[in-house]
Amino acid sequence: MHIGIGVAKHDVGAVQARLSMLRLTLPAISFFLTLLTLTDGGSIGVNYGRIANNLPSAVKVVQLLKSNGLNRVKVYDTDPAVLHALSGTDIKVTVDLPNQQLFAAARSLSFAVAWVNRNVAAYHPHTQIEAIAVGNEVFADPGNTTKFLVPAMKNIHQALIRFNLHNQIKVSSPIALAALGNSYPSSAGSFRPELIEPVFEPMLRFLRETGSYLMVNVYPFFAYESNADVISLDYALFRQNAGVVDPGNGLRYFNLFDAQIDAVFAALSALKYNDVEIVVTETGWPSKGDNNEVGASVENAAAYNGNLVRKILTGGGTPLRPKADLTVYLFALFNENQKFGPTSERNFGLFYPDERKVYDIPFTTEGLKDYHDRPSTSPSPSTAAPATPVNPVTAPSTGNGGVSKSSAANTWCVANPDAQKEKLQVALDFACGEGGADCRPIQPGATCYDPNTLVAHASFAFNSYYQKKARAGGSCYFGGSAYVVTQEPKYGNCEFPTGY
């Protein structure tokens, strides 16, 4: 989830006037547009995960889907009970070939044929299988299955040809935003360089040749949770806000979801695959989390998913692709009590296992007519910026970057070199974007571009933000990815400012 928003410089008076007009007219415009486009939008589906020991039977789940107007479902396997229960319904199904079977599917066409015969052809068309997800977020799989992905996809497609199902069932693979190497601004989105030649070029060529689409998992929650001190909650939840401008193309973004999706569209465009469409195979927001999982609440989950449904079903494309009618799968149908990890992992569900709604949002255009996002009037404690930890590092400065402590009066904000790469990237994107940091010096060819490392660039951006905020408490945190030092950082020949 690496995305940022740029801030363009304009005449201040003109901008303020335009924003004032925007604030006055946006609700009315949104209302009338909703009425005009209520039947011209994308499609909403749901992920049906089953890592739990208290879920209703598959037959009851199908009735739950139908009663709520959900006509698309994605499952993470090919469980016979589930596929039989979906038989004879109008619900379209995406099934999954697990990561653990990528090796076998890549190495053996006969395995792929047998798998398709047993798990797809045996049910279709009575069960309306419309797509096969080959693996899930393979690039992040610790089993090192990346090199098997495209060969497995090709063999599964060849197997579909054997059964004359290749024109009815698409083959793709969900990617996480960690597959992006650059994401700020959205217009500069690109895939990780080491994945382009061995994976993305052949995969995108395959998707184009077979008329398929790229599956993408996006989670604005994780970006907000790690950077709540620099990301507006309204921006993350599709609520009214002034928006931010992408300096690369001048487009204004009013929500993080659009910015993340457009970074992927830009990455596709950079490889000249503008014609390959996107399906969002996972997105969601947890209704509960641990104390340090900022933003996880019933109200925020309802706002995110409800406002997203409204956006998708009313024809809400993205600034870069305004006419794109996206298909989006919400994560997830149920709270799953046997999932590992923090509390949020077990609380992404739209429904409790007893089939009660965790919160009330619509899933259809008809339901949207009575839907209103009602934010609480009191500020949520989850949006408060955490206190800034001062954690000077005693590592010596080197030519490749480093910081050390001293008793100097000035302070700087630098990136934590031990922070996760993905977390650093998200924080960098938002410091340079919505945070308003001056990131021009770290652009290619500029004074602080070298050393061209994530830690060096993040340190410069974090410090710019920190100094612009007058070194206020909470302004050097970035979800734990940064800390304050008392000696000027040394990264190449770059000079770090101490005030603006």
Side-chain angles (χ1 to χ4, degrees), residues 124-344:
H124 189 83
H126 298 292
T127 299
Q128 295 187 37
I129 299 173
E130 64 172 344
I132 300 171
V134 177
N136 185 54
E137 298 187 351
V138 173
F139 307 137
D141 181 12
N144 193 27
T145 53
T146 298
K147 61 185 175 183
F148 306 123
L149 176 58
V150 177
M153 293 172 68
K154 290 181 176 179
N155 277 347
I156 291 295
H157 180 71
Q158 286 299 315
L160 289 173
I161 292 176
R162 295 276 187 98
F163 295 97
N164 198 29
L165 296 174
H166 57 291
N167 291 322
Q168 304 167 54
I169 300 174
K170 303 301 182 186
V171 175
S172 188
S173 183
I175 66 167
L177 289 192
L180 293 182
N182 187 42
S183 54
Y184 172 77
S186 297
S187 57
S190 62
F191 295 113
R192 281 161 48 187
E194 72 273 17
L195 294 175
I196 290 177
E197 185 176 346
V199 184
F200 274 111
E201 283 282 9
M203 182 171 74
L204 295 174
R205 186 162 53 248
F206 167 82
L207 296 178
R208 171 184 283 167
E209 290 172 351
T210 60
S212 189
Y213 42 78
L214 181 64
M215 296 175 170
V216 182
N217 298 343
V218 298
Y219 284 94
F221 165 73
F222 291 118
Y224 174 77
E225 181 251 350
S226 296
N227 300 275
D229 51 342
V230 293
I231 304 174
S232 160
L233 182 60
D234 288 340
Y235 183 72
L237 298 181
F238 302 92
R239 286 174 173 162
Q240 183 174 329
N241 62 90
V244 286
V245 175
D246 184 319
N249 55 23
L251 295 175
R252 183 175 292 273
Y253 285 84
F254 292 98
N255 64 78
L256 179 53
F257 176 88
D258 279 351
Q260 291 183 331
I261 294 301
D262 274 355
V264 182
F265 275 131
L268 290 170
S269 180
L271 297 182
K272 303 189 185 306
Y273 284 93
N274 306 61
D275 54 321
V276 174
E277 297 300 326
I278 287 175
V279 166
V280 180
T281 37
E282 285 184 23
T283 191
W285 195 286
S287 59
K288 185 179 180 182
D290 295 322
N291 290 337
N292 64 343
E293 294 188 280
V294 181
S297 71
V298 170
E299 180 184 320
N300 290 345
Y304 177 81
N305 285 316
N307 290 333
L308 173 61
V309 169
R310 177 168 56 192
K311 169 186 167 59
I312 297 303
L313 293 185
T314 57
T318 69
L320 193 61
R321 299 283 183 90
K323 295 182 179 180
D325 287 334
L326 294 172
T327 294
V328 174
Y329 289 82
L330 304 177
F331 186 89
L333 187 58
F334 295 109
N335 285 341
E336 299 171 63
N337 67 347
Q338 292 185 317
K339 295 194 75 172
F340 294 106
T343 298
S344 63

Side-chain angles (χ1 to χ4, degrees), residues 2 16 45 64 81 108 141 195 206 209 300 309 332 358 401 483 496:
H2 317 317
Q16 289 177 336
L64 181 68
S108 171
D141 181 12
L195 294 175
F206 167 82
E209 290 172 351
N300 290 345
V309 169
V358 178
Y483 47 70
F496 279 55

